[in-house]
Structures are given as structure tokens and as C-alpha cells.
Amino acid sequence: DYVNFLVPGFLVTVILWSGMSAAAGVAEESSTGVHDRLRSLPIPRAAVMAGRSMADGSLVGWGIFVTAIIGILVGWRPDGGVAKIIAGFGLMLVAGYAFTWIFIFIGLVAGNAQAAQGLSMLVIPFSFISSANVPVSSMPGWMQPFAANQPISVTINAVRGFMVGDVDQLGVGHTLGYWTLLSLIWCAGILLVFGFLSVRR
């Protein structure tokens, strides 16, 4: 039972761990003049970052796929049905793409790859203070409101709901539609804010 609880949490948090490489890559490109060369071309400024985000989003997708294979090898058995399982993976890809923009922005402001790697660690606590490894209800009371409503936990709740077929048995309250919609709202907000900041930078 714990494997089926844990693996969806791992699948979502791998978004953060895989995305960290984007920050270092963007910082290296920025410091070595790649962006200067691209900006001299007759292309929209947004195209440079959009291309980078799609490449890094693909790497995050690969990380999710590999983690899912490992999860199956250790006994994870999603039983939500084919359509819901596909929807769960689709939601993870959307979230992975959105979070990629956070790491792109970190890479643009860091100055060099080492600093970008260090700054990326500021995002990692979201994976620990979440419902990835344990139910939020088991955390200290003062931590629960943040842990329950931050984007990683919200996405995990939705993905778990898709993988098991329903959220009622998870004890997280609300419906699968609620968690899915809230996750998509978080993704849209992250994409809007950090996409805008990255393009401006």
C-alpha cells in the first residue's frame, strides 16, 4: 500500500530534481555568450526561452518515465484505469513544463552554473514539505496549511487520485476535479509569472 502511495509522490517530485539541470544549463549559455548570439538574430526574444523550456520539459518527461519504470519494478501498480493513468501522466508533464520556467529564471539571474545549481536548491524544500512521502495530516500543525496548499502537494493529490481512480480513499478531502483544477491554476500562474520574468530578463 505504501508503494502505491509513495510512487506518485516520487513521480511529481522528480519534476524538481530533473528541472534543476535547466538552471545550470541556462546560466552556462548566458555566461558564454550563447544568448547574445541568439538575440542578434531576427527572432522573437520569447523564442529563445520557449525553445529552451521545451527541451528541458522533454528531459523532465524522460525523468518521469524512468521513475515510473523503477516504480513498477518495486511493486507500484496503478489501478485507476488507462484513461485516468494517462491523464495523471499528462498532468505531470504540464506541471513539469511550468516548473521548468522557474529553473530557467534562476539560471538567468544566477550568473554562472555553480550559483544556479545552488539557487535551485531553494526550490527543493517544496518536495520535502509536501504530501509526497507522508500524509499532510501527520505533519506538525503549523506546517500543514503550507504543505497542503503548495503546488507540489496539490499536483501530487491530483496525480494520486488519477492513479488510484479516486481521491476519497486518500483522505485529502475535495474531489479529483478540485485537485486537478487547482493544479492547473498553479501551473498557469507559475508559467505566466516566470515566463514573463524570464523573457524580460
Side-chain angles (χ1 to χ4, degrees), residues 68-84:
I69 296 298
I70 294 171
I72 289 169
L73 292 176
V74 299
W76 175 54
R77 298 296 181 265
D79 55 5
V82 174
K84 286 190 174 180

Side-chain angles (χ1 to χ4, degrees), residues 167-190:
V167 294
D168 289 343
Q169 59 186 290
L170 299 176
V172 292
H174 303 294
T175 64
L176 179 56
Y178 170 87
W179 292 115
T180 304
L181 179 61
L182 191 56
S183 176
L184 291 173
I185 290 171
W186 265 114
C187 290
I190 290 169

Side-chain angles (χ1 to χ4, degrees), residues 34-92:
V34 172
H35 292 164
D36 294 332
R37 290 194 292 276
L38 291 173
R39 287 172 62 190
S40 70
L41 299 173
I43 57 174
R45 184 182 301 181
V48 177
M49 292 297 99
R52 179 75 208 201
S53 69
M54 286 188 277
D56 289 315
S58 299
L59 291 175
V60 169
W62 176 249
I64 292 170
F65 173 74
V66 171
T67 305
I69 296 298
I70 294 171
I72 289 169
L73 292 176
V74 299
W76 175 54
R77 298 296 181 265
D79 55 5
V82 174
K84 286 190 174 180
I85 290 170
I86 291 172
F89 278 103
L91 181 60
M92 283 187 278

Side-chain angles (χ1 to χ4, degrees), residues 105-171:
F105 179 70
I106 289 172
L108 290 171
V109 300
N112 60 64
Q114 291 80 9
Q117 200 74 19
L119 286 173
S120 295
M121 293 303 293
L122 296 174
V123 183
I124 297 305
F126 282 90
S127 69
F128 296 116
I129 310 173
S130 74
S131 59
N133 303 314
V134 296
V136 170
S137 59
S138 68
M139 297 179 181
W142 59 268
M143 188 184 291
Q144 290 182 21
F146 173 79
N149 296 292
Q150 55 106 333
I152 292 296
S153 284
V154 168
T155 305
I156 288 170
N157 289 343
V159 169
R160 275 199 185 115
F162 282 119
M163 297 305 173
V164 302
D166 197 0
V167 294
D168 289 343
Q169 59 186 290
L170 299 176

